[in-house]
Amino acid sequence: MLSRLSVRWLRPLPALPLGPLSARLAPVPTDSAKRSALPVWAVAPVSAVGPGGAGAWYEVLATSAPVQGAEEVLLNVQSATGLPWWGSILLTTVALRGAITLPLAAYQHYILAKVENLQPEIKNISRHLNQEVAVRANQLGWSKRVARLTYLKAMRKLVSELYVRDNCHPFKATVLVWIQLPMWIFMSVALRNLSTGKTQSEAGLSVQEQLATGGVLWFSDLTAVDSTWILPVSVGVINLLIVEIFALQKIGTSRFQTYVTYFVRAVSVLMIPIAATVPSSIVLYWLCSSFVGLSQNLLLRSPRFRQLCRIPLTKSDSDTPYKDLFAAFYAKFISRK
């Protein structure tokens, strides 16, 4: 079968030509003398920036249809449930993550499992194709460069045919990112609009005033920053846990994957000081979203849940995933000398 698929690709390739947030704003009035002051950029109206200013792009985003839709979702949930704003934010986040990102995450694992199960077949094809290319290169007197390019072109074609055959192109596994990231941005900007007084409720009351008394515990004012840094640090810690869980389950990671892991770790740490400068309503959303994401990652390790989602079994699957995860975590961060 391999010979029929690859013979038309074993031709010398022709040599390829080589060629060369915004303006100042007066402080928002507050009834609480203890309210932590937000930095200017966190509350400044982006409309104050001229058309050619740095905040023009944010003005478009803040008034866009997706952000307005996110505001409507938050307002409708709070109005329908009668929950305080902190409860409405948590409920909305859990509902969105459960209804949208959990199915997409399960689909991502489904695609990645099928790709993993193709690896033995891909390795077998690679070995035979390499032999065929070597024989043809000897016969036709190809240079090493021509033989290498011919091998790579044929291999890419054959692997693509396998992905089409099993309907598991790796790009499909990125759908979760393309949905989750915009949703996270739209919800964050919507909460900023609500927290800075840009949005009014149907009754004409300021949503900002409702958020100012809609918190709980030490963050009773959701329009102010968390001066204790408890929420920002919690966001960073949970995001780092998610990164480490992914890193621990990787076997034989490539150099690129290692660089990506380091990059995401850095972003997780950088999110801490950023979260300390935005309204607590936004940080509460980030914290809840990250916690739900961590829970989903752990849930998708369950053999029963994977079976329920019809995710194919792979060689790397374990009957005791949580025990293995704890052992790997302990070995890497606790028992290491």
Side-chain angles (χ1 to χ4, degrees), residues 50-82:
W57 64 270
Y58 190 87
E59 174 68 20
V60 175
L61 175 62
T63 58
S64 64
V67 171
Q68 292 178 357
E71 292 177 11
E72 288 298 322
V73 169
L74 288 164
L75 291 171
N76 289 336
V77 169
Q78 200 278 333
S79 176
T81 62

Side-chain angles (χ1 to χ4, degrees), residues 1-40:
M1 171 185 174
L2 176 64
S3 298
R4 291 198 302 270
L5 288 173
S6 60
V7 65
R8 64 182 183 278
W9 301 104
L10 301 182
R11 301 175 183 173
L13 298 177
L16 298 177
L18 299 177
L21 270 178
S22 63
R24 294 175 298 171
L25 177 73
V28 178
T30 174
D31 296 329
S32 173
K34 296 182 179 180
R35 180 180 303 182
S36 301
L38 288 170
V40 173

Side-chain angles (χ1 to χ4, degrees), residues 3-334:
S3 298
R4 291 198 302 270
L5 288 173
S6 60
V7 65
R8 64 182 183 278
W9 301 104
L10 301 182
R11 301 175 183 173
L13 298 177
L16 298 177
L18 299 177
L21 270 178
S22 63
R24 294 175 298 171
L25 177 73
V28 178
T30 174
D31 296 329
S32 173
K34 296 182 179 180
R35 180 180 303 182
S36 301
L38 288 170
V40 173
W41 67 267
V43 297
V46 290
S47 58
V49 183
W57 64 270
Y58 190 87
E59 174 68 20
V60 175
L61 175 62
T63 58
S64 64
V67 171
Q68 292 178 357
E71 292 177 11
E72 288 298 322
V73 169
L74 288 164
L75 291 171
N76 289 336
V77 169
Q78 200 278 333
S79 176
T81 62
L83 292 171
W85 267 104
W86 68 268
S88 298
I89 293 173
L90 263 62
L91 178 61
T92 303
T93 305
V94 172
L96 289 176
R97 296 279 302 202
I100 298 176
T101 61
L102 179 57
L104 291 176
Y107 179 70
Q108 179 187 59
H109 281 252
Y110 172 82
I111 294 295
L112 293 177
K114 296 185 74 172
V115 171
E116 181 179 344
N117 288 336
L118 277 177
Q119 294 312 303
E121 187 173 355
I122 290 175
K123 289 181 180 179
N124 185 52
I125 290 176
S126 175
R127 184 173 62 255
H128 285 83
L129 181 61
N130 194 38
Q131 294 173 354
E132 291 188 23
V133 170
V135 171
R136 187 60 62 90
N138 267 343
Q139 293 175 346
L140 302 180
W142 294 348
S143 66
K144 290 184 178 180
R145 177 176 177 274
V146 171
R148 181 64 179 169
L149 291 176
T150 303
Y151 165 80
L152 291 176
K153 181 179 179 181
M155 192 64 198
R156 280 195 298 268
K157 177 64 176 178
L158 293 171
V159 171
S160 295
E161 290 177 356
L162 291 179
Y163 289 154
V164 171
R165 184 196 70 188
D166 288 6
N167 192 23
C168 63
H169 196 285
F171 183 78
K172 293 182 178 181
T174 66
V175 173
L176 174 63
V177 177
W178 300 118
I179 299 297
Q180 180 175 314
L181 183 58
M183 183 175 71
W184 184 86
I185 293 174
F186 296 148
M187 288 290 293
S188 299
V189 176
L191 284 168
R192 179 192 182 276
N193 288 347
L194 297 177
S195 300
T196 55
K198 292 177 62 67
T199 304
Q200 302 292 326
S201 66
E202 293 181 358
L205 300 175
S206 172
V207 179
Q208 183 186 24
E209 295 177 1
Q210 299 175 24
L211 285 166
T213 58
V216 68
L217 300 176
W218 70 92
F219 54 99
S220 58
D221 184 354
L222 292 176
T223 66
V225 299
D226 180 11
S227 59
T228 67
W229 282 58
I230 295 177
L231 290 178
V233 171
S234 299
V235 170
V237 169
I238 292 181
N239 285 334
L240 283 173
L241 278 175
I242 295 174
V243 175
E244 296 308 322
I245 286 176
F246 272 106
L248 289 174
Q249 71 184 10
K250 297 293 185 182
I251 300 176
T253 55
S254 65
R255 181 177 299 179
F256 175 76
Q257 290 172 326
T258 301
Y259 290 154
V260 170
T261 300
Y262 282 123
F263 173 76
V264 178
R265 283 174 179 154
V267 171
S268 299
V269 174
L270 183 62
M271 285 295 294
I272 297 177
I274 293 177
T277 61
V278 298
S280 296
S281 59
I282 300 176
V283 190
L284 179 61
Y285 165 68
W286 291 352
L287 178 61
C288 183
S289 180
S290 296
F291 184 80
V292 175
L294 175 62
S295 302
Q296 289 180 355
N297 287 329
L298 294 175
L299 179 62
L300 285 165
R301 282 174 165 264
S302 168
R304 289 187 178 181
F305 187 76
R306 291 175 68 87
Q307 184 179 9
L308 179 64
C309 296
R310 298 184 178 180
I311 298 175
L313 289 173
T314 65
K315 187 177 180 180
S316 62
D317 284 346
S318 169
D319 294 331
T320 57
Y322 303 116
K323 182 179 178 181
D324 296 343
L325 178 62
F326 178 80
F329 189 88
Y330 182 85
K332 182 175 182 179
F333 297 106
I334 300 178

